Amino acid sequence: EKLAMMAISRLQSLPRGDIGLLCNTVVENVRELTGYDRVMVYKFHEDNHGEVFAEIKRSDLEPYVGLHYPATDIPQAARFLFMQNRVRMICDFTAAPVKVIQSEELMQPVCLVGSTLRAPHGCHAQYMGNMGSISSLVMAVIIKENDGDRGESGRNSMKLWGLVVCHHTSPRAVPFPLRHACEFLMQAFGLQLSMELQLAAQLTAKHIIRIHTLLCDMFLRDGPVGIVTQSPSIMDLVNCDGAAVYYGGMCRMLGVTPTEAQIKNIAEWLLEYHGDSIGLKTDSLIDAGYPSAPYLGDAVCGMAAARIGSKDFMFWFRSHTAKELKWGGAKHHPDDKDDGRRMHPSISLKAFLDMVKRRSLPWENVEIDAIHSLQLILRGSFQNIDDSGAKAMVYAWRNDLIFQGIDKLRSVATETVHVIETATAPIFAVNSNGLVNGWNAKVAELTGLPVGEAMGKSLVQNLVSEESVETVEKMLYNALR
């Protein structure tokens, strides 16, 4: 316990804002406590594939840090078990399993899920052999997740963020007191990691608001061309390989993108097959049903599209995953085959590598939120404006803003719009005529009335029940007086 407390004290003394340093310190502490040849922090990504995020090892062992592994290497069933039983030790995977003999009076078989001494599954034993490990100790890293980010009233839930994995090249057993100390260390690590992730989310939110403000400023000054040709550009909003704005039948591109003709074709496809939608995100244009996707090659696999006008779009593009990530896994023999009864990790990995060459990195929730917020801000600029008058509208706004000298107010207004659109409380707005000109996502969810249908309607005549008309009219009169 003293060793565990010293390790926890070391974690708590680390400077804030460096998740990598936190994970590196954890693997050092665990190796000092347990003596395993290799200790890794294994992180789960949003699409459930894993990454060796930090590692400390014996000098003669092959490094695994930076390698990514398919989600099937640690199935969902195994992840569920780690939420229940947070420490799993295998002393020697080569040891012959001992059959459990139970009383005939028992109606159900004995469940060994929570047992430290249960034998490993045959597939996992083979996987350990492929990696050159005889024994292992695996501990769950569980963090607090704020459900408010998903619109579920802001309560906290627990989430399996990853694992701390220990490998040894010979049989090794860790006594219970030491395992208990490691489990205590994992609890402290999970709490510290939760705080670091919250801090990172706050910094990301600030970055997004800053980019939103600058992009909207450029849009008001220079029109849609400005958010592609100047810095920062829409590429700086999210992680991507290329971006484009399709506006008024013209196309501006930045980075790795399809050709102008191909982007026009994508826009036509979106209008024809996703005309009722305000956008589309996919990590595989082939799977999304875009018929010309094979002609885009490996350069463009994933796409996020946001509609900002009747026929106008912003696009973000990503290349295939195999170009971005270093995938690793068990070595395999050419004669190894899945026989339908027993899974071979090596074959599973090969199939996965063939698949990801047709996919990009998945779009994270925070990235889609950032795109959606920018889309909502820019869509308001196109409301009720036809293509022929759009350029005049932009320059009229520019001259008016210069005349009034309200650059600072414009930035504040942009941030305010972002806060309103992403708020978990229902918020709507009306103009001086009582017509709806603001309708955030939460009020749309509660009323069942989409933004497009609510905008421009009379609050009193179209949306309020008859018994409330008089009360609402008085409220509007007092508010607008």
Side-chain angles (χ1 to χ4, degrees):
E1 289 184 3
K2 289 183 179 179
L3 292 174
M5 292 304 298
M6 289 175 59
I8 291 171
S9 177
R10 198 182 307 175
L11 290 183
Q12 294 174 341
S13 66
L14 294 174
R16 296 293 304 275
D18 192 339
I19 295 177
L21 177 61
L22 177 63
C23 292
N24 285 329
T25 305
V26 164
V27 295
E28 291 173 4
N29 290 338
V30 171
R31 193 177 186 216
E32 288 177 5
L33 286 169
T34 63
Y36 279 87
D37 292 332
R38 185 198 306 270
V39 181
M40 301 170 283
V41 169
Y42 190 85
K43 171 188 174 182
F44 295 126
H45 286 261
E46 287 194 9
D47 65 347
N48 291 323
H49 91 267
E51 174 191 0
V52 179
F53 193 72
E55 177 187 48
I56 186 170
K57 64 179 184 66
R58 209 174 65 197
S59 59
D60 60 317
L61 296 178
E62 178 186 0
Y64 292 154
V65 66
L67 292 181
H68 292 247
Y69 293 82
T72 50
D73 276 16
I74 303 178
Q76 286 294 337
R79 301 182 196 207
F80 175 78
L81 292 179
F82 275 116
M83 291 293 291
Q84 313 302 317
N85 188 17
R86 301 185 181 186
V87 177
R88 169 77 165 121
M89 182 175 67
I90 298 175
C91 301
D92 183 357
F93 88 88
T94 64
V98 178
K99 185 177 180 180
V100 175
I101 301 175
Q102 67 179 55
S103 170
E104 296 180 358
E105 297 177 359
L106 295 177
M107 300 298 295
Q108 299 291 337
V110 173
C111 179
L112 297 177
V113 167
S115 171
T116 303
L117 298 177
R118 65 185 172 91
H121 188 277
C123 175
H124 183 67
Q126 180 186 354
Y127 195 82
M128 289 183 66
N130 289 339
M131 299 186 77
S133 296
I134 300 297
S135 56
S136 67
L137 176 69
V138 183
M139 296 168 286
V141 180
I142 295 175
I143 63 170
K144 287 184 177 180
E145 183 181 37
N146 191 334
D147 289 339
D149 295 338
R150 300 194 302 267
E152 298 179 14
S153 69
R155 65 180 185 273
N156 288 327
S157 63
M158 307 308 288
K159 171 187 175 182
L160 182 65
W161 179 86
L163 304 168
V164 170
V165 181
C166 308
H167 285 174
H168 209 65
T169 54
S170 60
R172 188 173 189 81
V174 176
F176 174 75
L178 195 52
R179 293 201 309 274
H180 184 65
C182 288
E183 186 173 3
F184 187 47
L185 175 59
M186 289 302 102
Q187 292 176 8
F189 175 43
L191 290 173
Q192 194 83 358
L193 182 59
S194 297
M195 292 189 290
E196 291 295 339
L197 292 171
Q198 288 174 9
L199 176 62
Q202 292 169 3
L203 294 175
T204 299
K206 288 181 180 179
H207 168 77
I208 289 171
I209 290 175
R210 174 181 168 273
I211 297 297
H212 277 171
T213 302
L214 294 172
L215 290 177
C216 291
D217 184 69
M218 286 186 282
F219 177 82
L220 292 174
R221 287 200 320 266
D222 307 309
V225 174
I227 62 177
V228 180
T229 59
Q230 298 186 40
S231 180
S233 70
I234 58 174
M235 275 191 72
D236 297 300
L237 188 63
V238 297
N239 177 29
C240 63
D241 296 298
V245 170
Y246 182 72
Y247 173 74
M250 303 296 291
C251 190
R252 290 278 183 165
M253 299 169 290
L254 188 65
V256 180
T257 69
T259 65
E260 182 173 349
Q262 288 171 332
I263 290 176
K264 288 182 178 180
N265 184 257
I266 292 173
E268 292 170 358
W269 172 71
L270 288 171
L271 290 171
E272 182 176 356
Y273 293 97
H274 300 274
D276 296 333
S277 174
I278 59 173
L280 176 73
K281 64 161 184 167
T282 179
D283 59 4
S284 172
L285 278 166
I286 291 178
D287 288 355
Y290 177 53
S292 299
Y295 301 105
L296 299 177
D298 292 337
V300 176
C301 290
M303 180 189 77
R307 193 171 176 180
I308 55 174
S310 60
K311 297 181 180 179
D312 307 311
F313 292 90
M314 293 184 294
F315 294 101
W316 290 264
F317 298 103
R318 281 179 176 170
S319 302
H320 70 78
T321 310
K323 185 182 292 183
E324 299 292 334
L325 302 180
K326 186 178 180 182
W327 294 96
K331 297 177 182 178
H332 64 279
H333 189 276
D335 293 335
D336 286 346
K337 294 181 181 179
D338 288 335
D339 60 9
R341 291 168 295 179
R342 183 179 180 185
M343 185 179 72
H344 294 260
S346 55
I347 299 300
S348 298
L349 178 69
K350 183 176 184 298
F352 184 81
L353 283 171
D354 290 341
M355 179 185 70
V356 297
K357 286 182 180 179
R358 300 190 299 273
R359 292 187 179 278
S360 73
L361 285 172
W363 299 95
E364 296 183 4
N365 292 334
V366 66
E367 294 175 319
I368 296 304
D369 289 343
I371 290 172
H372 182 58
S373 297
L374 179 63
Q375 175 191 31
L376 290 171
I377 294 169
L378 297 188
R379 276 175 67 88
S381 303
F382 289 99
Q383 197 72 32
N384 301 321
I385 302 294
D386 59 22
D387 292 341
S388 61
K391 187 174 181 180
M393 169 201 72
V394 170
Y395 283 99
W397 281 355
R398 178 188 178 188
N399 293 335
D400 187 50
L401 289 170
I402 293 173
F403 177 77
Q404 296 179 39
I406 57 170
D407 287 342
K408 185 175 181 180
L409 179 60
R410 182 176 58 218
S411 297
V412 173
T414 301
E415 292 189 27
T416 303
V417 170
H418 170 77
V419 171
I420 290 173
E421 294 296 346
T422 57
T424 56
I427 302 173
F428 66 90
V430 296
N431 62 17
S432 58
N433 296 320
L435 302 180
V436 174
N437 61 0
W439 195 263
N440 78 346
K442 192 62 179 180
V443 74
E445 177 187 334
L446 291 175
T447 61
L449 188 64
V451 177
E453 295 181 19
M455 297 292 283
K457 289 187 180 295
S458 169
L459 179 65
V460 174
Q461 297 177 9
N462 302 124
L463 302 179
V464 174
S465 59
E466 292 183 7
E467 58 269 20
S468 302
V469 167
E470 185 177 349
T471 302
V472 174
E473 282 181 335
K474 288 181 179 179
M475 291 174 60
L476 284 178
Y477 175 77
N478 292 328
L480 299 173
R481 188 167 54 179

